[in-house]
Amino acid sequence: MIKIGLIGLGGIMRGVHAPGIKASGAFEITAVCDINREALDKFGDAYEIPAERRFTDYRDLIACPDVEVVDIATPNDVHVPIALAAVAAGKAYSCEKPVALNAPDAIRLEEATRAAGLPSMICFSYRFVPAARFARDLARRGDLGEIQHVAIQYLQGWGLPDVDCPLRWRFIKARSGSGALGDLGSHAVDLVSFITGLGVCQVVSQCETVVKERKLQEDPAKVGPVDVDDYANFMAELEGGATCCFQISRLAFARGNYQRLEIYGTRGALVYMLDANADNRGTLDLCIGNAMRNSRSFVRTEVPACYHASQMSAFADILLKRGDGLAATIEDGAENMKVLDAVLASQVSGQWVPVQ
Ligand code: SOE
C-alpha cells in the first residue's frame, strides 16, 4: 500500500478524494493536515489517524517518514508552495485544479517536478466520467470527421445573490486567482482538449463580477468586496482552426453541477451531458453518418462499461508506473493555466489574446 498524506480537509477532500483513495484499495492514509484544528481532529477521528500524524503545518506532514506521497486539496493559493515542498522532499503529489494562481507559478512547479523526475496528477476529475472517455475515443478515432465547432456550458447556481454564500476564499483573487473561470472554466478547458485532442490557440472573453460584495464569514453584519468573476464567457480558436464557445457561470438558476458539451464535425456530431442532479456517469447523444444527419436525429447511446474509471486509482497507477496516460499531469495543469491567463488578459484588453 502506498502511504499517502492528505492536505486540506475541506469538502472536495472529504467528499471526493478521501472516499476515492479508500475505495482504490491502493493507499494507506497515514497522515492528515489542515490549518483548522477542529476539522483536523474530526477527519482524523473518522479515518482513525493517530494524533502524532495530525498536522496543522503542511511542512510537518511532508517531513513525516510515514508519508510517501501527498494529495493536495487546499485553497488555490497554496497549491504550488505545498507541491514544491513535496517535490523538494522527493514526494509525488496529486493536486486540485486550478493548479496555481497564474501560469508562471504553474510552470515553476512543472519545471521543478520534471527536474526531480517525480510523477504528478492534477485533479481534472471529469476526465473520469465514462461518457467523456467514450466521447474522446469517438472524436479521436475520426468518427466525427474533422471537428468544426465545439460549445461547452459548465453551470452552477450557488453564486446567485439570494443564496447565502459568504465571502470565502473562492471570491478573493489573492486566494483563488479567479472565480468561476478557474473553478469551473479550468475543468471546461481541460475537458475540451481531453476529448477533442485540440489545444487552445487564442481566446477573446467577457468575464464579470455580478455580486460585487458578500457577507464576511467572521462578521455577517459586515460585507466585503468580491474581486473575481461570477461568470466567464469566452470564444476560442482551437488547433486546426476549429472554434469553441465557453459559457461558464456560478449564477445559473437551478443548475447544481451541469455540463453540456457539443462537438460538430464533418461526418458526425455528439452531445455529452453531465448533470449532478441526475447522475454522475454522464450521457452521450450521437448523430454520426448521413442517414442520421438527414433524419436530424441524435440517439442516446449506452456508454460501454470499459469506460468506467476512478481518479484516485489512476493516481495509484501513475505512481506504480502502469498509468494509461489519461489522467492529467502537471504539464496539463500548466497548459490549462496559460489558457486561463489569456482569458483574463482578454477581459482587460477586449482583444483576442494568444495562449502562450
Ligand atoms: C465548485 O462548486 C466545485 O466544487 C468545483 O470546485 C469542483 O472542481 C467541481 O468538481 C464541483 O464544483
Side-chain angles (χ1 to χ4, degrees):
M1 299 272 263
I2 303 166
K3 297 180 187 301
I4 191 167
L6 310 184
I7 304 172
L9 305 177
I12 288 291
M13 180 64 83
R14 294 196 310 272
V16 178
H17 288 212
I21 286 167
K22 206 169 173 184
S24 74
F27 297 97
E28 178 193 355
I29 301 175
T30 53
V32 290
C33 174
D34 196 289
I35 55 172
N36 179 303
R37 185 80 237 184
E38 187 184 342
L40 180 62
D41 286 333
K42 190 171 178 190
F43 190 102
D45 292 347
Y47 281 82
E48 298 175 343
I49 308 295
E52 66 270 17
R53 284 193 256 123
R54 298 180 189 184
F55 303 103
T56 54
D57 185 327
Y58 68 84
R59 287 163 296 197
D60 297 330
L61 178 140
I62 289 170
C64 175
D66 290 310
V67 169
E68 294 172 316
V69 303
V70 299
D71 177 40
I72 304 164
T74 62
N76 302 344
D77 58 326
V78 284
H79 287 172
V80 168
I82 294 173
L84 283 174
V87 166
K91 300 187 179 182
Y93 60 88
S94 74
C95 182
E96 264 297 328
K97 42 43 65 182
V99 71
L101 295 177
N102 53 60
D105 286 357
I107 292 165
R108 202 153 50 88
L109 177 58
E110 177 189 8
E111 290 169 348
T113 306
R114 186 182 303 121
L118 286 168
S120 63
M121 185 177 81
I122 305 302
C123 297
F124 287 117
S125 53
Y126 299 106
R127 290 184 175 214
F128 298 91
V129 174
R133 293 191 160 214
F134 188 19
R136 180 180 187 277
D137 270 0
L138 293 168
R140 293 196 180 209
R141 74 184 184 203
D143 289 31
L144 306 180
E146 189 185 341
I147 293 173
Q148 305 296 304
H149 302 306
V150 182
I152 184 165
Q153 293 176 310
Y154 189 175
L155 304 174
Q156 295 182 349
W158 57 270
L160 283 166
D162 64 336
V163 176
D164 183 19
C165 195
L167 194 72
R168 297 183 297 160
W169 64 267
R170 290 176 189 273
F171 295 112
I172 300 166
K173 185 174 180 63
R175 304 290 319 276
S176 61
S178 62
L181 175 65
D183 193 17
L184 308 180
S186 61
H187 278 303
V189 167
D190 179 73
L191 205 51
V192 165
S193 292
F194 175 69
I195 291 175
T196 65
L198 303 174
V200 177
C201 299
Q202 59 172 348
V203 296
V204 64
S205 73
Q206 188 222 353
C207 314
E208 294 295 345
T209 308
V210 175
V211 183
K212 300 192 184 300
E213 55 186 28
R214 292 180 183 267
K215 284 186 269 183
L216 298 184
Q217 278 184 295
E218 60 277 16
D219 181 358
K222 294 179 182 162
V223 294
V226 174
D227 59 356
V228 293
D229 55 283
D230 286 316
Y231 72 83
N233 294 332
F234 53 106
M235 290 193 293
E237 180 189 336
L238 305 182
E239 287 168 331
T243 65
C244 186
C245 295
F246 293 82
Q247 184 184 32
I248 311 296
S249 180
R250 290 169 168 164
L251 305 180
F253 192 88
R255 292 304 186 192
N257 195 41
Y258 177 81
Q259 297 172 358
R260 180 183 176 94
L261 169 66
E262 301 183 5
I263 302 177
Y264 297 94
T266 52
R267 288 211 300 273
L270 68 79
V271 180
Y272 152 89
M273 280 206 296
L274 179 74
D275 186 348
N277 298 340
D279 70 49
N280 279 317
R281 289 176 303 121
T283 59
L284 208 53
D285 296 345
L286 299 180
C287 178
I288 294 178
N290 285 333
M292 290 186 75
R293 171 169 65 173
N294 298 337
S295 66
R296 302 271 191 273
S297 59
F298 281 74
V299 175
R300 180 65 45 96
T301 305
E302 186 65 31
V303 177
C306 64
Y307 289 106
H308 288 252
S310 144
Q311 177 170 250
M312 288 306 168
S313 299
F315 185 40
D317 288 345
I318 289 170
L319 296 170
L320 299 171
K321 301 192 186 334
R322 63 188 189 204
D324 61 9
L326 296 183
T329 64
I330 183 56
E331 285 76 17
D332 302 299
E335 279 310 307
N336 189 264
M337 288 308 309
K338 291 174 188 172
V339 178
L340 303 188
D341 279 8
V343 170
L344 292 174
S346 175
Q347 163 58 19
V348 173
S349 69
Q351 307 295 316
W352 280 91
V353 174
V355 175
Q356 51 194 10

